Amino acid sequence: MSEVPADSSDVDWLRESVGRLREANSRLREVVAGKDAELAARDAELAALRSVQARLELRVAELERRLGMDSTDSGTPSSKEPVAARERRRAERRERNRDSSSRERSADRKPGGQPGHAGAGLRPDPDPGDVRPVDPPAECSSCGQDLVDGVDAGTHWSQTWDVEIVTRTVEYRLPRRRCGRCGTLSTATPPYGQAGTVCYGPNLNAAAVLLGCYGNVPTERAANLIEMLLGVPVSAGFVDRAAERLAGTLSVAGFDAAMRAALLAEPVLGADESPVNVLRPDLDPDTGQPTPGAAQAMAVRTPDERLVWLQPLASRCAEAVLEPLAGFTGYLIVDGYRAYQRLLGTVKGIQQCCQHVIRRCRQVAKLGPGNLQDWTDDVRAVLGEAHDAVTAATAAGQSALDADLLAGLRTRYDQAVAFGQTHNRHRDWHQGNHPGYALACWLAEYADQVWLFATVFDVDWTNNASERAIKDPKRHQAVSGYWHTQRTLGRFCRIRSYLTSARNHGVDAMDAIHTALTGNPWLPTITAA
């Protein structure tokens, strides 16, 4: 500190010192304020980063959950499961000492049919149409001794079932008559084809249809298979036209109208839909642009699988999905799509597929933390017990469950769902509500539809019949990749519906195609209630 001059004014010196101190203090305040602002910005940035980290951790958990999904907790077919998923599921099953899957052979299980299995193998024909001799054995099967001078011990038998493929040409002589009044020359119509043309017959047409629309074989490969199997070189165009002819004949015969009428008269139906690949979707007539939404294949099926009606949809909008069910007044089994709720004013009731519920419960059970999601196991268990009780009551000729038993099952269900809501209500998730809370709320909202099967025994507790039907177009797509247009998708759906339903009514597939090509196809009829 400088020494105060003896000849200076103390007041002036103090004033200068105070001024300098104030200036230094002001600069210090600015530095502190800047540092405070910097720290506040860093705190805000750190808080934002922590929030992002929390969301990313939840997102990673969701992605890990999706990667861990398999056929037991999602709609993924077992054929598309990675090998690691199947091995992981088996390891978990062994760890929990659960019964092995029916697809996993136990150590003491012998190959082939098990005791009690009726079997469906070949049986000997008591009156074979062709009996042929075989040269006797040349040497002993045991010691190798020459049997030229062996003792005749009679004969044994062996039958072979086979098919002989014979290509033949049939020429139809078509009578012609000239009209005595107008002079017009009329020619008789052949059973197949047109007068004055050469065409392939009904068996080749049936082979093309079965390979392409039932065997899911691509068009060119189907043509190659026909040539290799039957010895007739057909073109890919013929295979495509064979399907076009059959679909057109069914349309003219009113197959779709007959199928709709038969289905709408049923007491119970199942419905399911799934996206499919259409290369060139339909164009909107107003805008000229492709119709919005993804193309769908929809299946409407009776629970006993007698009838199946596959429909091509341009999108999954409510109007498109509900159109095939317009006029239905029975019970409907679906998988949770909210659009079906619009039918509540006309149908007797809706059953939510319990198999979907069980899979969703398994998804949530994997999330944790700890045992907080065990309520989903309680939901699965009580639904399984309810199904077993309904099965037993039906076998005993009863038309309803014991009231106390049903009330107890519902109470357990409601308690488990309430637990799921309470313990997941405020649980963080990267987007929207936690899946456990969302599932518990859904189970509470649609509880009556989940439990309809327990009060109406005619209603199945799953929609498996419709899911099996929707696998047909999905499997075809997996092989062929896509359909070119909505029209070719509709053609496939009509033919597949016809062949499947006809076979389920005992009609041979070849006969069904033959009769359809002659204008007299099998048509479903309304079954009396």
Side-chain angles (χ1 to χ4, degrees), residues 407-453:
L409 292 171
R410 278 297 303 267
T411 298
R412 289 169 53 193
Y413 172 89
D414 293 337
Q415 290 174 346
V417 171
F419 182 94
Q421 287 179 298
T422 301
H423 289 79
N424 290 293
R425 186 186 307 273
H426 300 297
R427 195 171 301 283
D428 292 333
W429 197 244
H430 73 283
Q431 182 179 3
N433 293 320
H434 188 275
Y437 181 69
L439 175 60
C441 290
W442 187 92
L443 292 174
E445 180 181 0
Y446 293 100
D448 290 340
Q449 295 183 11
V450 173
W451 283 86
L452 180 63
F453 75 96

Side-chain angles (χ1 to χ4, degrees), residues 129-132 160-168 203 229-231:
D130 187 3
V131 178
R132 301 180 184 182
T160 301
W161 290 41
D162 205 350
V163 176
E164 292 185 0
I165 300 175
V166 178
T167 304
R168 62 177 182 173
N203 290 331
L229 288 172
L230 305 180

Side-chain angles (χ1 to χ4, degrees), residues 136-151:
E139 59 182 27
C140 177
S141 58
S142 177
C143 67
Q145 174 66 31
D146 192 337
L147 295 179
V148 174
D149 298 327
V151 179

